[in-house]
Amino acid sequence: MTEESKILLAMGMLVLAVVGAVGVAPPYGYEAVFFPHSPRPALGWAGAFFVLVTLAYSLRKRLFLQAPGALIFWKAAHVVAGYVLIILILFHSNGGAGAGAQFFLSLVSAGLLITGLWGIARQGHTPAIMTKALLDPVYKSEHRETDNLILAQIAAVVSGKSQAFGDIYQRHILPFVSISLPSLEHHKAILRRCFGPASADPNAAVTDLANLSPEERGVFYEAAEKAVDLVELRLSKTYQRGMNQWLQWHIWLSAIIVSLIFFHILASFYFGSRA
């Protein structure tokens, strides 16, 4: 796991410890309503401010690509602001989950924290080279172009070869080229199948290649090398897809909590004016 993820996860564990401590020992005792000098309204407003701070990272990543500061620092600020938000909501609610709308807000807050920690851990275990597409939008376009270029190169290499060569290509290379989201096991399998001895894979291509001319054997290995490059390229997309599973939940929960806080503020003004 990366050092960045270890640090952010350690901070997350500290937040969970605070959640547990405040849940066991509420800081304000019992309060049916906010007293005039209660710090809870101020904590609520501070929480609303940190909601806006957490949203800044999404805007920076999607709209303001040329904004100052490396994206990794914006990400760290997003995570820290999220931790602070959870703690502020916890103190604002006096350490209780409440009932009704308050319970729903507490549930969504817990979901945000859990999905955020999930994302940190997931990214921390993903090779850095595989996360490049998440950081550089230009790389996504280059990724597609390179994919198409390698496919064209493979087609050019195998074009016009004998029927026997075509059969061997369809058996040993084409199945791997056809996988749009390969796994690490697929990457290992194509290496064993195309370049390994029969002892490593009973279906290794080396047995069938004995029936080809030396020239076509060389062409096969050239096509196989390009196929391996393609599998490795697509493997980064597989990692990215796995990394983004948590993000879908995180985004939806973020939208829900923003809406809940907005209506909570409106309700506070409404009932406060009638008190």
Side-chain angles (χ1 to χ4, degrees):
M1 181 178 289
T2 63
E3 288 300 319
E4 175 200 8
S5 296
K6 289 179 181 179
I7 294 172
L8 295 178
L9 282 176
M11 296 172 63
M13 297 303 105
L14 180 60
V15 171
L16 291 176
V18 172
V19 169
V22 175
V24 172
Y28 310 118
Y30 176 76
E31 291 185 24
V33 295
F34 289 145
F35 293 145
H37 301 293
S38 171
R40 293 172 68 181
L43 291 171
W45 283 112
F49 169 76
F50 274 93
V51 168
L52 299 178
V53 174
T54 60
L55 295 178
Y57 173 60
S58 296
L59 296 176
R60 164 67 173 84
K61 186 168 61 173
R62 293 173 174 81
L63 300 178
F64 303 106
L65 302 178
Q66 303 302 322
L71 194 59
I72 188 173
F73 297 118
W74 284 77
K75 173 187 171 184
H78 169 81
V79 174
V80 173
Y83 288 156
V84 174
L85 171 62
I86 295 297
I87 294 175
L88 288 173
I89 290 177
L90 186 68
F91 276 87
H92 179 66
S93 64
N94 198 27
Q102 181 182 344
F103 175 77
F104 189 43
L105 179 60
S106 300
L107 192 64
V108 173
S109 300
L112 270 177
L113 178 60
I114 292 171
T115 54
L117 293 175
W118 175 18
I120 293 172
R122 190 69 181 83
Q123 292 185 7
H125 282 95
T126 300
I129 189 63
M130 298 299 184
T131 67
K132 186 177 180 181
L134 297 178
L135 303 178
D136 185 359
V138 176
Y139 183 77
K140 296 180 181 180
S141 176
E142 293 178 349
H143 188 287
R144 289 190 296 268
E145 292 175 1
T146 305
D147 189 300
N148 293 332
L149 176 61
I150 295 176
L151 284 174
Q153 290 175 343
I154 293 175
V157 167
V158 303
S159 177
K161 299 301 179 290
S162 67
Q163 180 63 44
F165 178 91
D167 293 340
I168 294 174
Y169 167 78
Q170 291 181 16
R171 180 182 180 189
H172 298 289
I173 296 180
L174 186 59
F176 296 100
V177 173
S178 303
I179 302 173
S180 59
L181 292 173
S183 66
L184 185 59
E185 289 304 315
H186 289 130
H187 180 256
K188 295 177 181 178
I190 189 175
L191 291 175
R192 290 194 301 266
R193 175 68 71 88
C194 294
F195 300 99
S199 58
D201 185 346
N203 297 314
V206 64
T207 303
D208 293 334
L209 291 176
N211 300 321
L212 296 181
S213 66
E215 178 186 355
E216 288 196 330
R217 282 199 296 269
V219 171
F220 175 87
Y221 285 121
E222 181 181 355
E225 289 175 357
K226 294 183 182 300
V228 170
D229 291 340
L230 184 64
V231 170
E232 291 175 349
L233 180 69
R234 290 176 174 177
L235 187 58
S236 65
K237 189 175 180 180
T238 301
Y239 275 102
Q240 181 181 345
R241 179 70 62 88
M243 287 171 57
N244 285 343
Q245 289 176 348
W246 68 273
L247 188 58
Q248 299 174 13
W249 290 93
H250 199 66
I251 291 175
W252 277 106
L253 290 172
S254 298
I256 292 173
I257 200 171
V258 169
S259 301
L260 287 174
I261 290 176
F262 174 74
F263 286 109
H264 173 66
I265 293 173
L266 291 182
S268 298
F269 275 111
Y270 176 77
F271 290 108
S273 63
R274 297 171 61 90

